[in-house]
Amino acid sequence: MPELPEVETVRRGLAPTMEGARIVRLELRRKDLRFPFPEGLEARATGRNIVALGRRAKYLLIDLDDGTTIISHLGMSGSFRIEAGPVSDWPGEFHHLQSKDEKHDHAIFHLEGPHGISRVIYNDPRRFGFMDVVHRSEIDLNPFLFGLGPEPTGNELSAAYLAERFMGKTQPLKSALLDQKNIAGLGNIYVCEALWRAHLRPARAAATIVTKTGKPTKQMELLVASIRDVIADAIKAGGSSLRDHIQTDGSLGYFQHSFSVYDRESLPCRTPGCSGTVARIVQAGRSTFYCPVCQK
DNA sequence: ATCGGATCCTGTCCGC
DNA sequence: TGCGGACAGGATCCGA
């Protein structure tokens, strides 16, 4: 579930293995994901040292020592996993157990790091993910990153900022929050969760939580606080559950969250004192979950 | 200019 | 058990 918190969790999980390691080889096992891999990506990556692992919105950023950055988006079903040790160390049968899904391993970073040899493997059954490579100095001009809104974790996001963006918009809150140009990193799950926390109905027009002069209402203040909290909580949960995940199967994928409203159709609303039942509607072709009683 | 809808692709789950 | 349809965490493109 690669929304911002999941990508951040993946970044933190990969950093100890990747940062400071040398890319012995980047192995691309097909020519494209959603888009073709950039021309000469293998050659550009091979032999480079990884200086840092970063993130912008839902994009993982792999900074190399020649001033370039590999951009990786996980799409809907992308994940990374780490395998340690030389390939030949795996007995055939055991290796098979480790990689039930091997046909969807599309890119393999063969690494040599302070902790030895390892592989970081990108797996993506639906292939909605993609990679690009850019010069760091021009990263904000990259078509994928250009125009992205502020991170919900930083100071740039404020009720005043969002009020300006939402002023005059008839678009539903749900769609406005999914628009990465307004806020970067929210996806279907955390938009539902944030609106639930703020007691706001997803179908409401975005402009209804802005005053005539473009100032934030109390509801907008509450929404922004809810977004911050939801994201912070999810990152915290990811960080704590990741450890166990690595220990059990050596993979860095997604972990099951317990959501308050997402995927809870027909179940009781979890707002204290609320007697409502979670409803599911479709907005812009995607499921929205909300409580018709406490979200107004 | 702003919308919603269709689209890319595979896997899983549920009802018959 | 097999089969068909609905559905899935995203983002872009196109047409109304």
Side-chain angles (χ1 to χ4, degrees):
Chain A
M1 58 188 88
E3 300 184 30
L4 186 157
E6 288 73 30
V7 179
E8 178 60 22
T9 299
V10 167
R11 188 194 71 76
R12 292 179 186 186
L14 292 177
T17 299
M18 294 189 86
E19 287 182 344
R22 192 174 77 92
I23 303 174
V24 178
R25 180 158 79 102
L26 172 57
E27 178 185 357
L28 303 180
R29 304 182 63 186
R30 50 179 299 132
K31 64 178 193 332
D32 59 4
L33 296 171
R34 179 171 181 191
F35 308 114
F37 284 108
E39 197 70 27
L41 178 62
E42 297 110 312
R44 290 177 71 169
T46 295
R48 300 262 63 97
N49 288 306
I50 298 171
V51 294
L53 226 56
R55 180 192 58 73
R56 171 77 171 106
K58 302 172 192 172
Y59 296 87
L60 185 71
L61 308 176
I62 305 167
D63 291 346
L64 307 182
D65 62 358
D66 64 348
T68 63
T69 295
I70 296 173
I71 300 174
S72 168
H73 194 289
L74 304 180
M76 296 273 253
S77 59
S79 64
F80 282 96
R81 72 174 192 278
I82 299 168
E83 288 181 3
V87 179
S88 55
D89 269 14
W90 300 100
E93 208 175 322
F94 187 41
H95 181 248
H96 180 71
L97 286 176
Q98 288 291 308
S99 49
K100 46 200 172 214
D101 214 22
E102 216 173 46
K103 65 172 169 170
H104 298 304
D105 290 348
H106 304 310
I108 305 178
F109 293 83
H110 296 267
L111 302 175
E112 205 171 71
H115 311 298
I117 291 172
S118 61
R119 288 168 302 293
V120 167
I121 301 168
Y122 178 71
N123 181 287
D124 189 356
R126 291 178 74 179
R127 302 202 303 275
F128 282 6
F130 50 89
M131 291 188 190
D132 203 355
V133 59
V134 294
H135 285 283
R136 205 124 66 236
S137 56
E138 299 171 355
I139 196 162
D140 289 335
L141 300 177
N142 177 268
F144 296 115
L145 302 186
F146 183 79
L148 281 178
E151 295 282 320
T153 49
N155 296 328
E156 239 186 290
L157 175 68
S158 68
Y161 159 82
L162 211 55
E164 227 170 273
R165 299 282 310 187
F166 283 9
M167 185 168 54
K169 277 202 195 304
T170 57
Q171 188 183 28
L173 280 172
K174 166 81 187 294
S175 311
L177 293 174
L178 276 178
D179 186 342
Q180 303 296 299
K181 290 179 166 49
N182 292 327
I183 303 180
L186 298 183
N188 207 32
I189 292 176
Y190 296 113
V191 166
C192 290
E193 295 290 307
L195 287 169
W196 174 81
R197 283 204 198 198
H199 305 299
L200 289 168
R201 206 168 278 236
R204 254 178 91 154
T208 62
I209 56 172
V210 181
T211 68
K212 289 187 196 72
T213 55
K215 303 291 179 211
T217 62
K218 288 287 174 204
Q219 289 178 314
M220 174 66 91
E221 307 270 5
L222 180 58
L223 174 60
V224 169
S226 300
I227 291 168
R228 288 181 178 284
D229 290 351
V230 160
I231 295 298
D233 288 355
I235 291 175
K236 210 169 150 192
S240 57
S241 60
L242 186 64
R243 218 193 189 103
D244 297 342
H245 206 216
I246 291 175
Q247 280 172 349
T248 52
D249 67 2
S251 79
L252 269 181
Y254 312 127
F255 43 89
Q256 198 55 48
H257 263 291
S258 59
F259 303 116
S260 295
V261 71
Y262 181 84
D263 205 22
R264 285 180 48 81
E265 185 181 12
S266 303
L267 294 174
C269 175
R270 285 185 165 163
T271 297
C274 179
S275 60
T277 300
V278 174
R280 173 183 173 272
I281 58 171
V282 175
Q283 293 180 284
R286 311 193 61 191
S287 289
T288 297
F289 299 88
Y290 75 106
C291 172
V293 174
C294 70
Q295 289 180 253
K296 300 185 190 307

